Amino acid sequence: MKSVEDLLKLKEEVQQSLALRDEGEKIRVVVGMGTCGIAAGAREVMSAVLDEVAKRRLTNVAVTQTGCIGLCAQEPLVDVLIPGKPRVTYGKVNAQKARQIVAQHVVNGIVIREWVVNK
Amino acid sequence: MEELALHLLDLMENSLAAGACRLELKIREDIAANLMAIELVDDGRGMEEGEIKAALDPFFTTRTSRRVGLGLSLFRATARQCGGDLTLSSRPGAGTRVAVIMELNHVDRPPLGDMGATIAAALARELPLELYYRHERDGKVFEFSSTRLKEILGDIPFNLAPVLTWVRDFVNGGLQKLYGGEDRL
Ligand SMILES: Nc1ncnc2c1ncn2[C@@H]1O[C@H](COP(=O)(O)OP(=O)(O)OP(=O)(O)O)[C@@H](O)[C@H]1O
Ligand SMILES: [Mg+2]
């Protein structure tokens, strides 16, 4: 059970790590949360991304969701936006793939080509 | 959808798509009356009368990428199957209210599911969202308020993983208490 004390501790940790780096633009991970995405497991994908990013204590990563992007057959969809690089969209992501996307792409900048959706 | 929490995330996405900045979600479980009542109120752009009727028709949607809207009609079908119904009330400019009732112990009623993950997913946004969630079960109450969270966090945004995982676990822990430690979430 998480408590308000845990939240205060977390706040301190985040503040410290934000103070360590010069406030550059954040990496963004965006999960598509339309009906098709939700039905295909987008919420579990988001949960896995959150766990992986939190575990690695990456405070330069913002995790957000967005409504339907109109690629229903490819849901769940995950976008990775690294400042200065082109947006990469992954399709048919599950929790396990999501963790790998964080480990390889977000952390090391290596795109996992075989999961990228061709628009 | 296998969980009520997934239907609710889907409803909240509708609200966000309608430009809502404030969401209020209330769930009440009354064991004696065998009733589960859910209410979601938003301050989005609202709907015209004709739009309300059409919104419950699976072949109507204002979306352009697909010709059928699924969310509301799907949830209504589930509610009706469980001896209840889904009703919409809305006015242009005055927001929207979705109300769902179901028989609490109906065999077809989906389990509540991972409400923590649903609340965390709704808050994972660039634009701030005000979200209040109240869950009452036989007189016991759990409450979550993003306003309170914001007060504590100050200028730290919600969309950071440590914040959202805390929200998820806090909500699920609080609900677990309502269920008296039963495994059923
Ligand atoms: N909270 C709301 N506020 C305003 N309009 C709404 C709201 N919820 C639903 N609507 C309207 O009702 C329509 C149908 O909603 P529904 O969720 O069933 O399908 P959809 O959102 O269009 O598509 P999807 O299948 O992706 O959910 C929407 O297109 C929208 O015009
Ligand atoms: Mg919808």
Short mmCIF file of all heavy atoms in Angstrom, two decimals, chain A residues 12-45:
data_model
loop_
_atom_site.label_atom_id
_atom_site.label_comp_id
_atom_site.label_asym_id
_atom_site.label_seq_id
_atom_site.Cartn_x
_atom_site.Cartn_y
_atom_site.Cartn_z
N GLU A 12 10.71 14.39 -3.21
CA GLU A 12 12.07 14.82 -2.91
C GLU A 12 13.06 14.23 -3.92
O GLU A 12 13.91 14.93 -4.46
CB GLU A 12 12.43 14.36 -1.51
CG GLU A 12 13.33 15.31 -0.75
CD GLU A 12 13.34 14.93 0.72
OE1 GLU A 12 12.33 15.21 1.40
OE2 GLU A 12 14.32 14.33 1.15
N GLU A 13 12.90 12.92 -4.18
CA GLU A 13 13.80 12.24 -5.13
C GLU A 13 13.71 12.87 -6.52
O GLU A 13 14.72 13.13 -7.16
CB GLU A 13 13.44 10.76 -5.23
CG GLU A 13 14.06 9.92 -4.13
CD GLU A 13 13.52 8.49 -4.15
OE1 GLU A 13 13.05 8.04 -5.23
OE2 GLU A 13 13.56 7.84 -3.09
N VAL A 14 12.48 13.10 -6.96
CA VAL A 14 12.29 13.67 -8.30
C VAL A 14 12.89 15.08 -8.35
O VAL A 14 13.59 15.43 -9.31
CB VAL A 14 10.80 13.69 -8.70
CG1 VAL A 14 10.59 14.45 -10.00
CG2 VAL A 14 10.26 12.28 -8.84
N GLN A 15 12.65 15.86 -7.31
CA GLN A 15 13.19 17.23 -7.28
C GLN A 15 14.71 17.22 -7.36
O GLN A 15 15.30 18.01 -8.08
CB GLN A 15 12.74 17.96 -6.01
CG GLN A 15 11.40 18.64 -6.18
CD GLN A 15 10.87 19.18 -4.87
OE1 GLN A 15 11.20 18.68 -3.80
NE2 GLN A 15 10.03 20.20 -4.95
N GLN A 16 15.32 16.29 -6.62
CA GLN A 16 16.77 16.21 -6.64
C GLN A 16 17.30 15.86 -8.03
O GLN A 16 18.22 16.49 -8.53
CB GLN A 16 17.27 15.18 -5.62
CG GLN A 16 17.46 15.78 -4.24
CD GLN A 16 17.64 14.70 -3.18
OE1 GLN A 16 17.80 13.53 -3.51
NE2 GLN A 16 17.61 15.10 -1.93
N SER A 17 16.68 14.85 -8.65
CA SER A 17 17.21 14.44 -9.95
C SER A 17 16.92 15.49 -11.02
O SER A 17 17.67 15.63 -11.98
CB SER A 17 16.67 13.07 -10.35
OG SER A 17 15.29 13.13 -10.48
N LEU A 18 15.82 16.24 -10.85
CA LEU A 18 15.55 17.32 -11.80
C LEU A 18 16.58 18.45 -11.64
O LEU A 18 16.98 19.09 -12.61
CB LEU A 18 14.13 17.88 -11.62
CG LEU A 18 12.98 16.99 -12.08
CD1 LEU A 18 11.64 17.66 -11.81
CD2 LEU A 18 13.10 16.63 -13.56
N ALA A 19 17.03 18.65 -10.40
CA ALA A 19 18.00 19.71 -10.12
C ALA A 19 19.38 19.35 -10.68
O ALA A 19 20.16 20.22 -11.05
CB ALA A 19 18.10 19.94 -8.62
N LEU A 20 19.66 18.05 -10.77
CA LEU A 20 20.98 17.59 -11.24
C LEU A 20 21.21 17.89 -12.72
O LEU A 20 22.32 18.15 -13.13
CB LEU A 20 21.14 16.09 -11.00
CG LEU A 20 21.46 15.67 -9.57
CD1 LEU A 20 21.60 14.16 -9.48
CD2 LEU A 20 22.75 16.34 -9.11
N ARG A 21 20.12 17.78 -13.49
CA ARG A 21 20.31 18.00 -14.94
C ARG A 21 19.82 19.41 -15.29
O ARG A 21 18.92 19.93 -14.66
CB ARG A 21 19.55 16.96 -15.75
CG ARG A 21 18.03 17.05 -15.59
CD ARG A 21 17.35 15.98 -16.39
NE ARG A 21 17.56 14.67 -15.81
CZ ARG A 21 18.27 13.71 -16.37
NH1 ARG A 21 18.85 13.90 -17.53
NH2 ARG A 21 18.40 12.56 -15.79
N ASP A 22 20.44 19.99 -16.34
CA ASP A 22 19.89 21.26 -16.80
C ASP A 22 18.61 20.95 -17.56
O ASP A 22 18.57 20.10 -18.44
CB ASP A 22 20.88 22.02 -17.68
CG ASP A 22 21.63 21.13 -18.63
OD1 ASP A 22 20.95 20.39 -19.35
OD2 ASP A 22 22.87 21.15 -18.64
N GLU A 23 17.55 21.61 -17.19
CA GLU A 23 16.21 21.34 -17.69
C GLU A 23 16.11 21.27 -19.22
O GLU A 23 15.56 22.16 -19.86
CB GLU A 23 15.23 22.39 -17.17
CG GLU A 23 14.54 22.00 -15.89
CD GLU A 23 13.54 20.87 -16.08
OE1 GLU A 23 12.37 21.16 -16.36
OE2 GLU A 23 13.94 19.70 -15.96
N GLY A 24 16.65 20.19 -19.81
CA GLY A 24 16.53 20.01 -21.25
C GLY A 24 15.14 19.51 -21.60
O GLY A 24 14.33 19.24 -20.72
N GLU A 25 14.87 19.39 -22.90
CA GLU A 25 13.58 18.88 -23.32
C GLU A 25 13.49 17.39 -22.99
O GLU A 25 14.47 16.67 -23.12
CB GLU A 25 13.42 19.09 -24.83
CG GLU A 25 12.00 19.41 -25.23
CD GLU A 25 11.84 19.42 -26.74
OE1 GLU A 25 12.70 20.04 -27.41
OE2 GLU A 25 10.89 18.79 -27.22
N LYS A 26 12.33 16.95 -22.56
CA LYS A 26 12.17 15.56 -22.16
C LYS A 26 11.96 14.62 -23.35
O LYS A 26 11.44 15.02 -24.38
CB LYS A 26 10.96 15.43 -21.23
CG LYS A 26 11.21 15.89 -19.82
CD LYS A 26 10.08 15.43 -18.93
CE LYS A 26 10.43 15.59 -17.47
NZ LYS A 26 10.74 16.98 -17.11
N ILE A 27 12.36 13.37 -23.16
CA ILE A 27 11.95 12.30 -24.07
C ILE A 27 10.49 12.03 -23.78
O ILE A 27 10.06 12.06 -22.63
CB ILE A 27 12.78 11.03 -23.81
CG1 ILE A 27 14.26 11.28 -24.13
CG2 ILE A 27 12.24 9.85 -24.61
CD1 ILE A 27 15.17 10.11 -23.79
N ARG A 28 9.68 11.79 -24.83
CA ARG A 28 8.28 11.49 -24.58
C ARG A 28 7.90 10.12 -25.10
O ARG A 28 8.26 9.74 -26.22
CB ARG A 28 7.39 12.56 -25.22
CG ARG A 28 7.53 13.92 -24.50
CD ARG A 28 6.38 14.83 -24.80
NE ARG A 28 6.36 15.22 -26.20
CZ ARG A 28 5.26 15.33 -26.92
NH1 ARG A 28 4.09 15.06 -26.41
NH2 ARG A 28 5.33 15.72 -28.18
N VAL A 29 7.19 9.38 -24.28
CA VAL A 29 6.62 8.10 -24.70
C VAL A 29 5.11 8.27 -24.67
O VAL A 29 4.55 8.65 -23.64
CB VAL A 29 7.05 6.95 -23.76
CG1 VAL A 29 6.44 5.63 -24.23
CG2 VAL A 29 8.57 6.84 -23.70
N VAL A 30 4.47 8.07 -25.82
CA VAL A 30 3.03 8.34 -25.93
C VAL A 30 2.29 7.04 -26.28
O VAL A 30 2.63 6.38 -27.26
CB VAL A 30 2.74 9.40 -27.01
CG1 VAL A 30 1.25 9.75 -27.03
CG2 VAL A 30 3.58 10.66 -26.78
N VAL A 31 1.29 6.69 -25.48
CA VAL A 31 0.53 5.47 -25.72
C VAL A 31 -0.86 5.84 -26.24
O VAL A 31 -1.54 6.68 -25.64
CB VAL A 31 0.39 4.64 -24.42
CG1 VAL A 31 -0.36 3.34 -24.68
CG2 VAL A 31 1.77 4.35 -23.82
N GLY A 32 -1.29 5.27 -27.35
CA GLY A 32 -2.61 5.53 -27.94
C GLY A 32 -3.69 4.90 -27.08
O GLY A 32 -3.65 3.71 -26.80
N MET A 33 -4.67 5.72 -26.64
CA MET A 33 -5.67 5.24 -25.67
C MET A 33 -7.08 5.38 -26.22
O MET A 33 -8.01 5.72 -25.49
CB MET A 33 -5.45 6.01 -24.37
CG MET A 33 -5.70 5.29 -23.06
SD MET A 33 -4.90 3.71 -22.80
CE MET A 33 -3.30 4.19 -22.15
N GLY A 34 -7.28 5.14 -27.53
CA GLY A 34 -8.64 5.11 -28.08
C GLY A 34 -9.30 3.78 -27.72
O GLY A 34 -8.67 2.91 -27.12
N THR A 35 -10.57 3.65 -28.09
CA THR A 35 -11.29 2.42 -27.76
C THR A 35 -10.56 1.18 -28.27
O THR A 35 -10.41 0.20 -27.54
CB THR A 35 -12.72 2.45 -28.35
OG1 THR A 35 -13.39 3.60 -27.83
CG2 THR A 35 -13.50 1.22 -27.97
N CYS A 36 -10.10 1.23 -29.51
CA CYS A 36 -9.41 0.06 -30.08
C CYS A 36 -8.13 -0.25 -29.30
O CYS A 36 -7.81 -1.40 -29.06
CB CYS A 36 -9.03 0.29 -31.53
SG CYS A 36 -10.46 0.57 -32.54
N GLY A 37 -7.42 0.80 -28.95
CA GLY A 37 -6.19 0.63 -28.19
C GLY A 37 -6.48 0.01 -26.83
O GLY A 37 -5.82 -0.96 -26.43
N ILE A 38 -7.46 0.55 -26.14
CA ILE A 38 -7.81 0.04 -24.81
C ILE A 38 -8.20 -1.44 -24.90
O ILE A 38 -7.74 -2.27 -24.13
CB ILE A 38 -8.96 0.86 -24.17
CG1 ILE A 38 -8.50 2.29 -23.89
CG2 ILE A 38 -9.45 0.21 -22.89
CD1 ILE A 38 -9.62 3.24 -23.48
N ALA A 39 -9.05 -1.75 -25.90
CA ALA A 39 -9.49 -3.14 -26.05
C ALA A 39 -8.33 -4.07 -26.39
O ALA A 39 -8.35 -5.25 -26.06
CB ALA A 39 -10.57 -3.22 -27.13
N ALA A 40 -7.29 -3.53 -27.03
CA ALA A 40 -6.16 -4.36 -27.44
C ALA A 40 -5.06 -4.41 -26.37
O ALA A 40 -4.05 -5.06 -26.56
CB ALA A 40 -5.59 -3.85 -28.76
N GLY A 41 -5.27 -3.71 -25.25
CA GLY A 41 -4.30 -3.81 -24.15
C GLY A 41 -3.42 -2.60 -23.92
O GLY A 41 -2.39 -2.70 -23.27
N ALA A 42 -3.84 -1.43 -24.42
CA ALA A 42 -3.01 -0.22 -24.29
C ALA A 42 -2.76 0.17 -22.84
O ALA A 42 -1.69 0.68 -22.50
CB ALA A 42 -3.67 0.94 -25.03
N ARG A 43 -3.75 -0.07 -21.96
CA ARG A 43 -3.54 0.32 -20.57
C ARG A 43 -2.45 -0.53 -19.91
O ARG A 43 -1.65 -0.03 -19.13
CB ARG A 43 -4.86 0.19 -19.79
CG ARG A 43 -4.84 0.94 -18.47
CD ARG A 43 -5.96 0.48 -17.56
NE ARG A 43 -5.87 -0.96 -17.35
CZ ARG A 43 -6.80 -1.68 -16.74
NH1 ARG A 43 -7.89 -1.10 -16.29
NH2 ARG A 43 -6.66 -2.98 -16.61
N GLU A 44 -2.39 -1.81 -20.25
CA GLU A 44 -1.33 -2.68 -19.72
C GLU A 44 0.01 -2.25 -20.28
O GLU A 44 1.03 -2.33 -19.60
CB GLU A 44 -1.62 -4.14 -20.07
CG GLU A 44 -2.66 -4.80 -19.18
CD GLU A 44 -4.00 -4.11 -19.22
OE1 GLU A 44 -4.47 -3.79 -20.33
OE2 GLU A 44 -4.57 -3.86 -18.14
N VAL A 45 0.02 -1.82 -21.55
CA VAL A 45 1.25 -1.32 -22.17
C VAL A 45 1.74 -0.10 -21.41
O VAL A 45 2.92 0.02 -21.06
CB VAL A 45 1.03 -1.02 -23.66
CG1 VAL A 45 2.17 -0.19 -24.23
CG2 VAL A 45 0.86 -2.32 -24.45
#
